[in-house]
């Protein structure tokens, strides 16, 4: 696939100019000039692409860097080469690339892959995104270091008393509201690749937006 599945972003650069940022399923990231009929300002290859991306469902930006997740999933072999990438909005230069840890699939079903489909969210100094291995991670936006993670692949008893199970993070990303963070965990339904699940998770935000003061332990964010 080579189509544009991720929403296009219109972003104001540091010099005040607005540009369009578009990511395609074949792993390309583009900056386009809306004032000159979409002239390509720069382009950067970040992945090899495939049926589930490349860049699949969305990106994020803080006005200086563009944060682009890569899936590069092969559905025939159930393998992927996922990563989160930070690209300079002015120049298209790759500032950092952090591969998704492969140990996230250890002990899980064969449908587990380490690609990232979900759109990331920028919160303070953190970039937060969940991967197809069912692990939600927070990255230091300055250098790409993973400083917090939460494995959602487990059983839960919901606030409604029903039993649920967490799985892959897929189409939807994280929602931030006040001091709370919400995300759904579980795909793999209707033939979609990934780990099946059916839960909505709510986190209380603590030091996660201050990576210099936090650790990679789960007490950084409390799960309700």
């Amino acid at each position: 696939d080579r189509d544009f599945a991720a929403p296009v972003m219109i972003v104001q650069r540091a010099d005040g100019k607005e540009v369009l940022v578009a990511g395609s399923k074949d792993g390309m990231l583009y900056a386009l000039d809306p004032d000159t009929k979409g002239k390509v300002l720069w382009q950067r290859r970040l992945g090899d692409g495939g049926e589930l991306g490349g860049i699949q469902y969305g990106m994020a930006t803080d006005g200086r860097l563009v944060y682009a997740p890569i899936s590069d999933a092969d559905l025939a072999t159930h393998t992927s080469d996922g990563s989160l990438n930070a690209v300079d909005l002015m120049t298209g230069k790759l500032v950092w690339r952090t591969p998704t840890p492969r140990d996230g699939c250890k002990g899980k079903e064969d449908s587990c892959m380490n690609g990232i489909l979900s759109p990331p969210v920028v919160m303070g100094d953190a970039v937060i995104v969940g991967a197809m291995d069912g692990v939600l991670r927070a990255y230091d936006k300055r250098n790409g270091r993973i400083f917090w993670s939460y494995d959602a692949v487990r059983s839960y008893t919901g606030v409604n008393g029903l039993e649920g199970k967490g799985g892959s993070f897929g189409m939807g990303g994280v929602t931030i509201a006040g001091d709370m963070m919400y995300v759904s965990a579980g795909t793999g339904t209707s033939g979609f690749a990934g780990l099946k699940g059916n839960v909505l998770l709510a986190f209380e935000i603590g030091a996660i937006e201050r990576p210099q003061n936090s650790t990679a332990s789960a007490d950084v964010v409390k799960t309700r």
Side-chain angles (χ1 to χ4, degrees), residues 149-207:
S149 64
Y150 178 84
D151 194 335
V153 184
R154 62 185 74 183
S155 297
Y156 299 88
T157 299
V159 294
N160 55 3
L162 299 179
E163 298 299 315
K165 182 180 179 182
S168 296
F169 295 96
M171 189 177 298
V174 170
T175 296
I176 306 293
D179 63 349
M180 296 297 296
M181 179 172 72
Y182 303 93
V183 64
S184 58
T187 59
T189 59
S190 302
F192 189 82
L195 301 169
K196 294 181 180 180
N198 59 350
V199 296
L200 174 64
L201 303 177
F203 298 84
E204 293 180 349
I205 300 170

Side-chain angles (χ1 to χ4, degrees), residues 4 9 39 51 68 84 104 138 140 144 197-198 211 213:
F4 291 89
M9 302 186 296
K39 177 184 176 181
E51 291 177 274
L84 183 63
D140 188 330
N198 59 350
N213 298 324

Side-chain angles (χ1 to χ4, degrees), residues 12 23 26 32 38 42 47 54 70 120 134 170 174 188:
Q12 187 176 62
D26 63 350
L32 311 173
W42 54 257
I70 291 293
V174 170

Side-chain angles (χ1 to χ4, degrees), residues 7 28 44 53 55 78 85 95 97 107 119 139 165 184-185 194 203 220:
M28 293 295 296
R44 172 67 56 183
I55 299 168
H78 282 292
N85 302 265
V95 177
R97 169 187 170 91
Y139 301 72
K165 182 180 179 182
S184 58
F203 298 84
V220 176

